[in-house]
Amino acid sequence: MRRRARIAGAALLAGAVTGLAAGPAQAQEYRYWSFWHGKGSSWAYATEGPATLRPADGEVAGFRFTVSADSAAAGRPRAAAGFDAICHGTPAKDGRKRIGVVIDFGTAADAPGGERPPKARTECAQVSEDASAGEALAAVARPLRYDSSALLCAIAGYPKAGCADQVKAKEPASSGAPSSGTAADGADASGGGDGGPSAGLIGGVAAVVVLGAAAVWQARRRRG
């Protein structure tokens, strides 16, 4: 009986460990606006939100509607981050700065049900010298929509509803909703779950502990 209990406990623990190892590969995906900083002709995922990032004159801010589990898999704007091409027709002004704005509404596959993504846009925002990327976006792409947590949900009215919605349920999920870099409070947008253990990891460890305790309890009960 003791041997049988030990075998059962080992099998339960092995199953839990297998589920734990598989967790990160089954990350929950979300549909959201990601935020990018133009560097030359390329893009880098923004390390802070558009409300706090204050680009200098001649820089470019990019926004892409995407579906991903974290920043590592987020789709970047498909247009080049070229300031000269975007703002060549906007002359410089004293006391103002020019920020190139690229807005990529994503693909039809990433669109919410019943909606079609508008064509991508590039705009040159001429704003005050201390303006943030979010203020530059508001100057050229209204209406913007935010949720109660100040997360950017829609640009130029797209999408009509929803905000960082789950695309499909996968369990165990490896993390919460990704930090898209579009929170108005300027939260860290590095994404990828690097700030701490994921929910999948914590849940897997908890499962191992619970199952192990159950096996020990069962063995002791049978000995009694």
Side-chain angles (χ1 to χ4, degrees):
M1 294 293 287
R2 293 181 184 176
R3 182 172 180 273
R4 209 179 301 171
R6 285 197 298 270
I7 293 173
L12 289 169
L13 287 171
V17 170
T18 300
L20 174 60
Q26 299 176 344
Q28 174 64 59
E29 291 187 322
Y30 292 81
R31 180 181 286 114
Y32 67 106
W33 279 102
S34 60
F35 175 44
W36 301 80
H37 182 214
K39 291 190 173 182
S41 60
S42 62
W43 295 104
Y45 205 91
T47 57
E48 58 184 293
T52 58
L53 182 64
R54 300 185 184 280
D57 181 79
E59 294 187 342
V60 179
F63 299 83
R64 166 75 186 266
F65 194 69
T66 186
V67 171
S68 73
D70 53 46
S71 61
R76 65 190 62 205
R78 288 167 289 180
F83 173 80
D84 291 339
I86 297 172
C87 289
H88 68 278
T90 305
K93 288 184 179 179
D94 290 340
R96 309 282 286 178
K97 65 181 179 182
R98 294 169 299 164
I99 305 299
V101 179
V102 174
I103 307 167
D104 188 332
F105 294 91
T107 66
D110 290 345
E115 294 198 56
R116 295 181 62 182
K119 291 183 179 180
R121 294 167 50 181
T122 59
E123 304 283 353
C124 186
Q126 194 160 59
V127 290
S128 63
E129 291 180 330
D130 64 346
S132 66
E135 289 170 320
L137 177 66
V140 297
R142 292 180 183 274
L144 306 182
R145 177 167 56 84
Y146 292 89
D147 71 357
S148 59
S149 300
L151 183 70
L152 179 60
C153 305
I155 296 175
Y158 181 83
K160 295 178 181 178
C163 195
D165 296 332
Q166 292 185 3
V167 174
K168 59 176 71 174
K170 294 182 181 180
E171 294 184 356
S174 69
S175 66
S179 175
S180 67
T182 48
D185 59 4
D188 181 13
S190 57
D194 296 333
S198 68
L201 177 60
I202 294 171
V205 171
V208 171
V209 172
V210 170
L211 291 173
V216 171
W217 174 82
Q218 185 180 35
R220 288 179 175 173
R221 182 186 178 195
R222 288 176 176 175
R223 283 201 302 270

